[in-house]
Amino acid sequence: SGNIGGLIVRALVAAGASTVVGVCSGANAAHVTALGADRVVDYTEGAWSQQLLAGDAPSYDTVFDCVGGRDTEAEALAVTRRGGHLLTLCGPMRFLGGQRHSWLGITQALAYIAWRMLSSRVRGPRYTLLSGSEPDWSAVDTLLIERGIRPTIDAVHRFERDEVAAAIDCLVSHRSQGKQIVAVGPEALEVPT
């Protein structure tokens, strides 16, 4: 339901994905459905992988992980078919970039990611870290720009101390439903949606 996840949902729908499932809190279910998800699973009501599978074998071709953490990875792998693909933005660290890490922690995370990427080529599902990789700009152009897909704007804040602080607090909470815009000039407060 966040900015990147929202763009992914809209891009998958525009690309003609047969089924798009969003995982978010129940509070954001209507937002994710409005973006085009066929189904929404509320992670606050228990393990989302169990909710998706409900006794069936793993059947999803691709899972995008925008949160990170080994618990999220375990659930994603549980629903992804063996020949499928898990694409993660954060790897084993939840909300990568949201906190400071020691060099040892970073080195361990990178070693884990390298091991997962290599071993997944043999055992499946395939594991790919998207952070830091060069994007395929032709795909971005085709899926987002040509189809007019724009990020969702959650809030527009004035360039004032309290409002900038509110924008930062929203980002740090990981509860934003899109971009937090800080308008520098009065004309910038009228942001097109």
Side-chain angles (χ1 to χ4, degrees):
S1 59
N3 184 51
I4 296 172
L7 279 174
I8 291 170
V9 167
R10 294 173 77 189
L12 289 171
V13 170
S18 61
T19 303
V20 177
V21 178
V23 177
C24 62
S25 67
N28 291 326
H31 170 67
V32 175
T33 302
L35 294 174
D38 299 300
R39 179 179 174 195
V40 175
V41 175
D42 184 348
Y43 67 80
T44 66
E45 294 184 5
W48 56 268
S49 59
Q50 292 176 4
Q51 294 178 59
L52 280 172
L53 293 176
D56 295 331
S59 60
Y60 292 89
D61 294 320
T62 307
V63 175
F64 290 90
D65 165 28
C66 299
V67 175
R70 292 195 185 187
D71 56 336
T72 301
E73 178 184 318
E75 291 206 58
L77 291 172
V79 301
T80 308
R81 66 178 180 78
R82 183 168 182 193
H85 201 157
L86 168 58
L87 299 136
T88 180
L89 296 171
C90 304
M93 296 176 155
R94 187 172 292 275
F95 300 116
L96 182 65
Q99 63 257 332
R100 290 181 175 255
H101 298 284
S102 68
W103 282 108
L104 177 61
I106 292 169
T107 302
Q108 289 173 334
L110 291 173
Y112 176 82
I113 291 165
W115 172 79
R116 283 292 298 119
M117 289 176 74
L118 290 171
S119 66
S120 73
R121 298 322 189 251
V122 175
R123 291 186 278 150
R126 190 170 174 179
Y127 178 96
T128 301
L129 176 71
L130 295 175
S131 293
S133 59
E134 184 68 29
D136 178 356
W137 292 112
S138 64
V140 170
D141 186 43
T142 301
L143 285 176
L144 301 180
I145 297 170
E146 286 181 10
R147 296 175 191 224
I149 296 174
R150 297 173 186 257
T152 302
I153 296 173
D154 187 18
V156 178
H157 305 270
R158 295 181 190 280
F159 188 61
E160 297 171 3
R161 178 181 220 137
D162 292 343
E163 291 206 30
V164 171
I168 292 170
D169 288 345
C170 188
L171 290 174
V172 170
S173 76
H174 301 289
R175 297 290 179 245
S176 178
Q177 290 185 349
K179 292 283 190 190
Q180 297 294 311
I181 306 294
V182 175
V184 177
E187 67 281 349
L189 288 173
E190 299 176 18
V191 177
T193 58

